[in-house]
Amino acid sequence: MIKKILLVLILAVIFAGTGFAQDFESMPKNTLTVDIGPTILGLGFGATSSIAKGVLNQFGTDISFAGFKTTGFGIGAQYERQLMEKLSVAGRFAYLQFGFGLGNEDVNVKIDTTSYSIEGHVRYYTNESFFLDGMLGYANMKISFIGKVSENEVNFSVPKDFFKLGFKLGWRIDFGNPGGFVFEPSFGWSFGILTKGKTILNTVKDNTNGELEEEDVTMFKYIETGFDNLLFVGGPRLSLALGWRF
């Protein structure tokens, strides 16, 4: 009786393994996607100045935003390769740009921030669509200040390099059977560890002979925290990827 039970279990394992191999062999192994999450973020920031002007005009305020302009753009692209039924690896490239300028009698300055990142991802699928994603990568960010403050010319940049870590949860919604068009919404968090570069505040001090008001110091500290830790390198990440699985 025991021998018969063992034989049945062995046959069940063999058939299960055969089924797994057939499922993996027949499933699409490659996925190419374009992430429009950064695009929406960039375009939203670019529309900030127009929205602000419209709101101020609506309420009849005397505050002028005539010289305030914002621009923005972003994009991400990824290639994923399925190694096993539940495990895959991916390479991702992302680009993000924000710019804003202020022009009045005393100040005419444009601050332009660009970043790009190169990332490696490992994904584990708990079922056919839900996945856990771990990320390791590199990010470069540069903030440029160009213009004039009072009678002083301003023209310098703050380059930075980061070691990048992150994780996210997401869904691969496959409209094929499987294969074809896919939609991948995901949400996660990334962390940037500065490896090279000076702080914005120290660079500004070096280019202004250290003559900064207390409110200017506070402003640059907020810019540093917001740009590094919440927008360009670290912080929450929403991805809306569209692509093709084959």
Side-chain angles (χ1 to χ4, degrees):
M1 182 66 179
I2 296 177
K3 291 183 179 180
K4 291 182 179 179
I5 294 174
L6 289 175
L7 180 61
V8 171
L9 290 174
I10 291 171
L11 290 173
V13 170
I14 292 173
F15 284 119
T18 303
F20 173 85
Q22 288 178 343
D23 289 340
F24 176 69
E25 289 299 324
S26 62
M27 70 188 299
K29 306 294 191 305
N30 307 287
T31 306
L32 290 172
T33 55
V34 174
D35 185 5
I36 62 172
T39 308
I40 296 172
L41 179 63
L43 294 177
F45 184 85
T48 301
S49 56
S50 298
I51 295 172
K53 291 175 185 178
V55 172
L56 292 174
N57 292 335
Q58 183 72 25
F59 289 95
T61 179
D62 293 331
I63 300 175
S64 176
F65 268 63
F68 178 66
K69 295 182 180 180
T70 57
T71 61
F73 177 74
I75 196 69
Q78 177 173 289
Y79 168 70
E80 179 187 2
R81 175 69 179 180
Q82 203 81 31
L83 299 181
M84 300 173 62
E85 186 181 33
K86 294 184 177 295
L87 185 70
S88 71
V89 294
R92 185 176 187 272
F93 174 83
Y95 172 84
L96 189 61
Q97 179 270 332
F98 283 174
F100 61 94
L102 182 62
N104 56 36
E105 295 178 356
D106 300 317
V107 179
N108 191 343
V109 175
K110 181 181 180 182
I111 302 175
D112 189 69
T113 304
T114 59
S115 76
Y116 69 86
S117 63
I118 301 171
E119 305 165 1
H121 292 255
V122 177
R123 284 186 177 184
Y124 177 76
Y125 288 86
T126 61
N127 53 35
E128 292 183 359
S129 58
F130 182 76
F131 62 83
L132 310 173
D133 185 301
M135 178 269 291
L136 176 65
Y138 160 82
N140 174 272
M141 185 179 79
K142 185 174 75 170
I143 305 176
S144 301
F145 297 80
I146 303 172
K148 182 183 289 187
V149 178
S150 297
E151 299 300 322
N152 301 314
E153 295 289 336
V154 176
N155 190 348
F156 63 91
S157 298
V158 187
K160 295 185 175 186
D161 295 316
F162 294 87
F163 181 66
K164 196 172 179 183
L165 299 168
F167 67 90
K168 62 182 177 180
L169 308 176
W171 295 263
R172 180 172 65 191
I173 303 172
D174 197 329
F175 294 91
N177 192 29
F181 179 71
V182 293
F183 174 53
E184 293 186 358
S186 62
F187 180 80
W189 200 279
S190 64
F191 306 88
I193 302 171
L194 182 64
T195 60
K196 182 181 178 182
K198 298 174 65 175
T199 65
I200 298 174
L201 180 59
N202 287 339
T203 307
V204 172
K205 284 182 177 180
D206 291 343
N207 286 270
T208 57
N209 298 319
E211 298 176 1
L212 289 176
E213 301 292 336
E214 184 176 348
E215 56 268 22
D216 295 328
V217 173
T218 302
M219 177 189 70
F220 283 115
K221 285 183 177 179
Y222 277 124
I223 290 176
E224 191 99 44
T225 302
F227 282 10
D228 290 7
N229 301 329
L230 292 177
L231 284 177
F232 288 91
V233 181
R237 287 293 179 269
L238 174 65
S239 173
L240 300 171
L242 303 169
W244 194 261
R245 189 176 175 210
F246 56 96

